[in-house]
Amino acid sequence: MERGRIDLDGVPFDLQSTLESGQTYLWWRADGADYDATYGGDDWYLTTTRATGEPGVIKVRQREGGLEYRSTVDAEPVLRRRLGLGDDLRTIRASVPDDDVIEAAYDEYWGMRIVREPAFGGVISFICSAQMRVSRIHGMQQSLREAFGTPIEFEGDTYHAYPTPEQLAAATEQELRDLSLGYRAPYVQETAEMVADGADPREAQGLPYEEARDLLTRYVGVGDKVADCALLFSLGYLESVPLDTWIRTAIEEYYPDCEQGNYTDTSRAIRERLGGEYAGYTQTYLFHYLRNREE
DNA sequence: CCCCAGGCACCTC
DNA sequence: GAGGTGCATGGG
């Protein structure tokens, strides 16, 4: 068992908003509390990883200017990557246009990072996100783990790794429908089968942004929006701006001239408006800010 | 009863 | 390429 601490050294970081802002559905709180439940300030979050080959568990919490972790594996490099600790938030924010709602969003959740989740789990969970609320998307991933994932023992408890492509490909559509995936069930099964048969979403990595997005849309259940989510939250394309219902409303309200009538052109316009290279960062702050402001 | 949720596949034209 | 339609499920 590994225990350790990552000193944040005064760098802005916010674990809760990073993990509960709808970027990732692959973590959960130790106490089983659903996302949106009251946060204690230093609660443990858990996830699983196959970064070292075999499935492992990582447990982490933010405390006293650092991140404490416990894990079955060498967790520090995994955490640094998955939690976006290498991103220079000040540089990113400096690239953002001066705009009241954007400044408010950055102020409110300062320290939130863009995650880099494993590609397969990222793609599957965003396939599940179609026409679905954040808390239910998260619940679906938990159901998939428990139904199909490999059990892992850690500190006296049993957890489940996120299912492998093979494990999900072996599921029947009906089994997936029984987990309340609805019409997404065949998409998940078929995409898992494609990956089990040798396709790899990581092939998109390194391609120019729009080519990468096109490549990902060959997976069943992956359109432009889901592809953008996978690019932003798994493959590190920080310029990606997923055009979901919230950001479309924001475009209507704040940037109406960016609406171009189709996904590709609207995407180009809003990326430009949000500063280009790090537009996805700003989109994510806006998404989280606008969504919470409603309550 | 209604509407909506981090949309997509499939069908026309 | 643009435009419509059907699709599961649960919460307000």
Side-chain angles (χ1 to χ4, degrees):
Chain A
M1 160 136 130
E2 308 268 346
R3 290 178 181 230
R5 179 183 156 86
I6 298 173
D7 198 331
L8 290 169
D9 238 348
V11 165
F13 181 78
D14 180 347
L15 185 64
Q16 188 207 7
S17 58
T18 299
L19 295 181
E20 298 198 25
S21 51
Q23 303 181 48
T24 172
Y25 305 97
L26 303 178
W27 295 72
W28 65 95
R29 286 199 209 166
D31 59 4
D34 202 359
Y35 282 10
D36 299 333
T38 308
Y39 179 64
D42 61 353
D43 298 335
W44 289 100
Y45 287 90
L46 292 99
T47 192
T48 57
T49 176
R50 290 179 187 269
T52 55
E54 293 304 298
V57 176
I58 298 176
K59 201 167 167 179
V60 63
R61 67 176 170 182
Q62 181 164 11
R63 219 180 184 193
E64 293 167 1
L67 294 177
E68 297 176 5
Y69 62 85
R70 304 177 184 183
S71 181
T72 58
V73 301
D74 176 17
E76 179 162 344
V78 180
L79 286 169
R80 284 189 179 279
R81 170 169 173 76
R82 287 180 63 171
L83 300 177
L85 285 171
D87 297 342
D88 182 348
L89 275 184
R90 300 183 202 284
T91 298
I92 289 167
R93 185 164 181 173
S95 78
V96 168
D98 190 12
D99 179 304
D100 288 345
V101 67
I102 291 175
E103 295 299 328
Y106 271 97
D107 284 341
E108 185 75 20
Y109 297 106
W110 186 234
M112 181 173 72
R113 304 296 175 124
I114 298 290
V115 297
R116 269 76 152 186
E117 293 290 37
F120 179 67
V123 168
I124 295 294
S125 56
F126 277 102
I127 287 174
C128 292
S129 77
Q131 294 293 101
M132 196 49 59
R133 284 184 174 81
V134 164
S135 62
R136 288 200 56 212
I137 304 162
H138 182 245
M140 286 179 188
Q141 308 317 304
Q142 295 295 86
S143 301
L144 289 174
R145 285 182 186 279
E146 286 170 25
F148 303 108
T150 303
I152 316 169
E153 303 291 329
F154 182 58
E155 295 184 329
D157 290 307
T158 303
Y159 303 104
H160 292 266
Y162 196 80
T164 62
E166 292 75 16
Q167 285 170 327
L168 276 188
T172 65
E173 180 181 328
Q174 189 56 49
E175 285 177 309
L176 295 172
R177 284 184 185 270
D178 290 345
L179 298 179
S180 295
L181 265 64
Y183 62 82
R184 306 154 196 82
Y187 301 163
V188 167
Q189 197 279 329
E190 288 176 45
T191 287
E193 203 159 72
M194 291 171 72
V195 178
D197 288 345
D200 189 340
R202 288 173 297 185
E203 289 167 3
Q205 197 124 41
L207 294 176
Y209 163 69
E210 288 185 348
E211 289 178 36
R213 191 175 65 196
D214 282 345
L215 189 149
L216 290 181
T217 59
R218 72 181 181 179
Y219 294 98
V220 185
V222 179
D224 287 330
K225 187 269 170 184
V226 167
D228 266 330
C229 286
L231 290 177
L232 181 56
F233 303 128
S234 286
L235 300 183
Y237 282 77
L238 299 182
E239 71 266 52
S240 171
V241 176
L243 299 182
D244 60 57
T245 51
W246 286 93
I247 205 70
R248 285 181 184 278
T249 302
I251 288 172
E252 231 177 281
E253 188 173 347
Y254 301 106
Y255 317 105
D257 55 308
C258 289
E259 177 52 61
Q260 299 292 312
N262 66 76
Y263 196 98
T264 301
D265 293 332
T266 304
S267 167
R268 286 177 184 164
I270 192 66
R271 267 182 285 135
E272 191 63 28
R273 182 62 53 91
L274 297 185
E277 188 178 1
Y278 302 114
Y281 244 101
T282 299
Q283 185 272 3
T284 302
Y285 272 89
L286 270 180
F287 174 84
H288 194 43
Y289 178 71
L290 296 174
R291 211 169 66 86
N292 283 351
R293 200 175 60 170
E294 291 289 305
E295 296 173 3

